[in-house]
Structure formats: C-alpha cells, structure tokens
C-alpha cells in the first residue's frame, strides 16, 4: 500500500497521541472528519494499522526479566510446537526464523528461576529438540515505528 504525506501525518498523530479522538485528529490535521475516517478505515483494511489497544509493560505486570529463546524443532513439527507455544502465557511473541534454530520466542518472567521454569516447559513440548536462551540486559532501542513511517512518507514525496 502506498502511504502518502497525509497518511504519514495521520499515523504520526496516532503514534504520538493514541488516546485522542478522531474529531480532534481531524481538527489538528485541518481535514474533514469523514476524510480522516475514510483514511483510517483504508489503512486498517490494508493492514497498515493492525491494532488500537494499549501497550502494556510486562515489567509493570511483575515480569521484568526478558529473554529470547531460540528453539530447534524436529522436522515436520513446527506447527505442533507453535501451538504448544501459544499455550504458554510467558511467551509474548514467537517467529519462524532462518539460521540457527527454527523458532525465536520473546519470553518474560518474574525472575531467573521463573525463566528457567518456562524454558523447561518449552523443552518438554513434543517436537522440541533443544533451546538456547539469551537474557536481555537493557533495552537500547524501544519498539518504535514512527521513524519508519516518516521514512516511508518521505519516499512517497515527489
């Protein structure tokens, strides 16, 4: 989907002021509410906007330990293991990957002992051959999309 300059301005507002009303966004942008709503609907339909819920902090929910667990899977069992991962609440993301391992998961835990318990659950899933865990020490670049949105917006300018 092509994101034009107005789309970029809309996305910037959504990222910077997520709790503002559509009416206020339209006022700030100087466009009709209907125009804004049509743009938002199109971007949702085309998968640019994928959610509107709050961003939560696992640390504030009592899970300050973040780890990345690489999982090697028995050939042909990727879907089965993926289903098993979905049943583990401490797995906040999981991706099929290339390179070493077959899956990469982002895991949160209360402490290191809890992390070990979660990793043991993963090891015991049918189809898991081995795991490799890397504990995050400090976040250096928080999850962000605004620089990408701005870059895409600049690329569409004549």
């Amino acid at each position: 989907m092509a994101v034009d300059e107005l789309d970029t301005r809309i996305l910037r507002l959504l990222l910077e002021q997520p709790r503002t009303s559509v009416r206020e966004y339209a006022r700030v942008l100087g466009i009709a509410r209907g125009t804004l709503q049509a743009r938002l609907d199109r971007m949702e339909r085309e998968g640019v906007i994928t959610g509107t819920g709050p961003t939560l902090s696992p640390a504030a929910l009592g899970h300050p330990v973040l780890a990345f667990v690489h999982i090697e899977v028995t050939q042909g069992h990727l879907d089965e293991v993926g289903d098993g991962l979905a049943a583990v609440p401490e797995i906040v993301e999981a991706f099929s990957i290339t390179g070493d391992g077959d899956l990469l998961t982002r895991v949160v835990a209360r402490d290191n002992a809890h992390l070990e318990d979660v990793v043991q659950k993963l090891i015991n899933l049918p189809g898991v051959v081995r795991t490799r865990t890397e504990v995050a020490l400090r976040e250096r670049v928080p999850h962000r999309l605004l620089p990408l949105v701005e870059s895409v917006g600049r690329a569409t300018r004549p």
Side-chain angles (χ1 to χ4, degrees):
M1 174 196 152
V3 175
D4 65 16
E5 186 176 347
L6 179 55
D7 291 334
T8 301
R9 290 173 52 213
I10 292 167
L11 292 170
R12 173 186 266 284
L13 276 175
L14 288 173
L15 291 169
E16 290 179 341
Q17 302 172 31
R19 296 178 60 107
T20 302
S21 70
V22 172
R23 176 180 289 144
E24 181 61 15
Y25 288 142
R27 187 193 67 71
V28 168
L29 293 166
I31 61 175
R33 185 188 175 286
T35 300
L36 175 62
Q37 191 62 59
R39 295 278 184 134
L40 290 171
D41 292 345
R42 177 180 53 81
M43 287 190 280
E44 284 180 12
R45 198 173 44 253
E46 295 182 3
V48 173
I49 298 172
T50 59
T52 58
T55 302
L56 304 178
S57 165
L61 292 171
H63 289 68
V65 176
L66 171 62
F68 299 93
V69 179
H70 299 257
I71 302 173
E72 186 178 325
V73 176
T74 303
Q75 200 164 11
H77 293 334
L78 196 57
D79 289 338
E80 179 184 349
V81 173
D83 292 343
L85 295 177
V88 180
E90 295 86 359
I91 302 278
V92 295
E93 289 182 300
F95 300 92
S96 300
I97 60 170
T98 62
D100 292 339
D102 300 297
L103 294 163
L104 175 64
T105 64
R106 195 173 107 185
V107 178
V108 295
R110 293 184 302 272
D111 53 34
N112 287 345
H114 182 221
L115 175 61
E116 182 181 11
D117 293 342
V118 173
V119 170
Q120 289 302 315
K121 275 187 209 175
L122 302 181
I123 290 169
N124 289 317
L125 289 174
V128 171
V129 175
R130 75 179 47 88
T131 65
R132 186 181 87 240
T133 303
E134 298 165 348
V135 176
L137 299 176
R138 180 180 297 159
E139 183 177 66
R140 298 295 180 168
V141 177
H143 180 77
R144 67 203 179 123
L145 291 173
L146 186 55
L148 177 63
V149 167
E150 291 173 338
S151 172
V152 169
R154 281 191 299 274
T156 62
R157 292 183 194 141

